[in-house]
Structures are given as C-alpha cells and as structure tokens.
Amino acid sequence: MFSGRGRSVRVALFPVFCSLLSLGCGDALSMRLLVLGSGAGGGVPQWNCLCPQCRRAREERDLPAAQKRFRRTQASIAVSEPGERWTLINASPDLCSQFAQAAELAPPEGALRGSPLAGVALTDGQLDHTTGLLFLREGTEIRIACTDPVWKSLNSTFPIVSVLRHFLPVERSAYPAEFGGVRIEALSLPGAPAPYEAPSEEPGQVVALRLLGTKSGRRVAYAPGLPEISDAFLAFVSGCDALFVDGTFWSEEELAPMSEERRRSIRRSHLPVSGPEGSLARLAKLPVAKKFYIHINNTNPMLDPDSPQAKEVREAGVQIAYDGMLLSFYPTDS
Ligand SMILES: [Zn+2]
C-alpha cells in the first residue's frame, strides 16, 4: 500500500457505505494529512550540489510528478479535520510551489482571493521551517503557533514577524494551540537553536508536535528535528495513529565533508537513522501503526528507493515520506 508513489494513502478502513456509493465523502469524515515537502534544508537537488543523488534528482526534471523518486522540496505537512480549514506545520521556503501543487490548498471557489489555511504551527525557528511565512504576506492575516524562544527569534534575530506586519496582522498562539479543529501540543526537545541564535539551554528551541483531531479523534505526531528518542518522546507519541520523524541522516559518515561547527550542530539536532543507537532500531519496536521518515537530506542513501538502506527501513516497518503523499485517517468509531 505504501511502496508506490501514488497520490493517496488510506490509513483506516473506509466506511462501507462510502465505498459503495463512491461519494468522495472522505472530506466529510476523515482527518487528512498532506506531505507538502519531505526533504531537509535545501531540498533535493540542492541548488549547488552535484552529488550522485542531486544528479539523479536533476535528471528527473521533465518526468511526471508521480515518477519523481529523488526530488524533495523542503519539509512541511498540512493537516485538516472534516469540513475545516488546513493547518500548516512549518512554512518551508518552497511554500509557493508546494501550495501550487496541492489542490487541497487552492483558494476556495466563490471569491477571487482566499485560502483554506487556518494557521501555521512551527517546530523551531530554522530557516527551512520559517522562511515560507514571508510568502503568506498576500493574505489577510497570519496565525502562528510557536514557543516563546521561537517567537522571540522571529521578532529579533530573524525578524520575519516585524517584516510581515508591514503587510498584514500577525497573531501568535503559544502551545497548546488550536487551528481548524486541530489541537496542537508541543514537547520540548534538546535540539540546538537556529545557527544565527546565541547558544541557549532555554526549553522550546525545538519541539515535537502532536496534532489531535477534535472531530475525527485521530492523532499524529511530527518531529522533523529529533536529537534523541527519550522516554518523554515515547510517552508523547504513545497512542498516535501516525508518526513523522527526522530522517535527515543515515549515518554520521555523511557529516564528514562539513565543518566541525556544522557537524556539532547537526549532531545536537538530528539522530541518525542507522546503527544500534539510531532511530530505526527504536522506531521498529514502537507500537504506532504508521511510521514515516521525513526531512530527508540529499546525502541520505535511503532517498534511493532501490538502495539497501531504503529496503532496511521498509523491512523495519517504517515508510519514507515523499512530496504529495496524502493520508486519510478515518474515525475509529465510524
Ligand atoms: Zn547533493
């Protein structure tokens, strides 16, 4: 069910009456989750990289979207509850092209301008998760949920909010927040703050998010920057229907060409996938029905679906997210 690059993935059993009548009533019943982008910072191909995987991503330029196996825009997902507007999780620099690709995020019919976007929730203040906010300036308002340190950063060191307020009102919510019937809870992780921030031990520089559908009863956790799998994290994701976690690096070997400072920062922010202490060994045992890697760096060999690394991931019961993946979570009691 998950091995292809098809458009839609059905997670729960589709209610019989809907399948018989083909009413397309998924909108009315399910929590939906759309993967807008699944790559790490810079996406794949990176604009200035000629590594083998970026080369292969460039060779896919003229293929139909469903045949693109290497290409990734920068990680972001959107979630909606039945009959509600969408909540965006992180605003990637690729936001405009991601919205243009997603029929679900097109302006609703009935007026010349509009958007089905309810708000944006942030996991941290990194450039690849916040820069897209700038491209929402043509709207009528922006609602942002984030932690105190991230809000402070977006108003000072990286003053996106100050810039946006020249165009439209910006409202901020702390966690827990609620947009469009999705309650958003955060767990602070020990990840490093953005590189342009002073080193800080203040909690909330990086968080994992848990998205609870208030109508569907479904819940999903999202952690694109996961430095460790702690007991607190395991408790936080317990009972979730799906989990999206940090698939940035396969192993520390990928960090070798980087500067020592960059290596240190990445080690503090991203747990590698492989190895006895890696995330895959832990995820394989985790009793969550659907598990996905997202935020995959151009260096990670599991990007190649034919690689032994991708096979190892699949055999451990974890899927590798791709751009355009759409999941529907049907209420358990329907
Ligand atoms: Zn590359």
Side-chain angles (χ1 to χ4, degrees):
M1 179 186 277
F2 293 92
S3 59
R5 297 271 295 184
R7 188 71 174 80
S8 179
V9 178
R10 187 151 291 156
V11 170
L13 285 177
F14 198 47
V16 172
F17 68 90
C18 285
S19 58
L20 286 174
L21 299 176
S22 298
L23 291 175
C25 59
D27 292 9
L29 290 174
S30 66
M31 179 194 219
R32 289 181 297 161
L33 185 153
L34 177 60
V35 175
L36 296 173
S38 52
V44 190
Q46 300 217 340
W47 67 277
N48 58 348
C49 187
L50 271 182
C51 76
Q53 302 205 120
C54 287
R55 280 181 186 276
R56 292 187 68 176
R58 275 196 188 82
E59 288 164 8
E60 295 177 335
R61 185 174 46 225
D62 299 324
L63 292 179
Q67 293 175 28
K68 291 177 177 170
R69 289 148 48 104
F70 286 84
R71 286 202 164 221
R72 296 286 195 286
T73 61
Q74 294 164 84
S76 173
I77 63 169
V79 177
S80 81
E81 276 287 273
E84 298 282 353
R85 294 193 294 160
W86 289 79
T87 297
L88 187 66
I89 313 299
N90 289 338
S92 114
D94 299 314
L95 182 144
C96 293
S97 62
Q98 292 171 343
F99 272 52
Q101 283 294 319
E104 294 80 2
L105 296 174
E109 294 294 337
L112 185 59
R113 296 183 79 90
S115 170
L117 184 64
V120 186
L122 303 175
T123 58
D124 53 61
Q126 299 282 346
L127 290 178
D128 57 327
H129 297 156
T130 56
T131 314
L133 291 169
L134 289 170
F135 308 115
L136 297 174
R137 69 185 182 279
E138 294 90 355
T140 51
E141 66 161 354
I142 302 182
R143 297 170 66 200
I144 299 172
C146 63
T147 63
D148 288 345
V150 169
W151 184 245
K152 195 164 72 184
S153 173
L154 298 182
N155 282 278
S156 56
T157 329
F158 182 43
I160 280 187
V161 171
S162 321
V163 172
L164 281 169
R165 282 191 164 140
H166 289 278
F167 298 89
L168 76 179
V170 181
E171 265 187 48
R172 183 248 172 165
S173 305
Y175 293 122
E178 186 172 325
F179 294 143
V182 177
R183 181 180 161 86
I184 310 158
E185 300 171 342
L187 172 74
S188 185
L189 301 172
Y196 42 84
E197 291 294 335
S200 168
E201 299 302 321
E202 185 182 357
Q205 305 282 356
V206 182
V207 296
L209 295 179
R210 187 166 57 192
L211 314 166
L212 294 92
T214 57
K215 291 183 177 176
S216 67
R218 293 297 195 163
R219 54 178 69 191
V220 172
Y222 187 69
L226 185 63
E228 63 178 27
I229 296 184
S230 63
D231 289 345
F233 179 77
L234 294 174
F236 188 70
V237 304
S238 169
C240 282
D241 299 289
L243 173 60
F244 285 79
V245 298
D246 186 343
T248 309
F249 293 99
W250 181 259
S251 74
E252 294 209 1
E253 282 170 36
E254 290 156 67
L255 310 185
M258 300 173 186
S259 70
E260 178 51 35
E261 188 186 3
R262 181 94 180 105
R263 280 202 298 269
R264 209 169 31 240
S265 165
I266 287 171
R267 273 199 207 97
R268 271 197 65 196
S269 304
H270 302 287
L271 184 63
V273 171
S274 68
E277 304 300 320
S279 58
L280 186 60
R282 304 293 301 279
L283 289 179
K285 294 183 208 148
L286 195 63
V288 170
K290 302 295 173 197
K291 295 168 273 195
F292 301 88
Y293 277 120
I294 197 164
H295 198 272
I296 304 156
N297 201 51
N298 61 308
T299 55
N300 190 328
M302 74 182 188
L303 268 180
D304 181 350
D306 297 326
S307 66
Q309 291 86 355
K311 185 164 179 270
E312 187 180 335
V313 169
R314 290 193 297 267
E315 287 178 353
V318 183
Q319 308 300 318
I320 299 170
Y322 54 85
D323 294 18
M325 176 187 261
L326 179 66
L327 298 100
S328 294
F329 299 91
Y330 290 89
T332 44
D333 57 354
S334 64

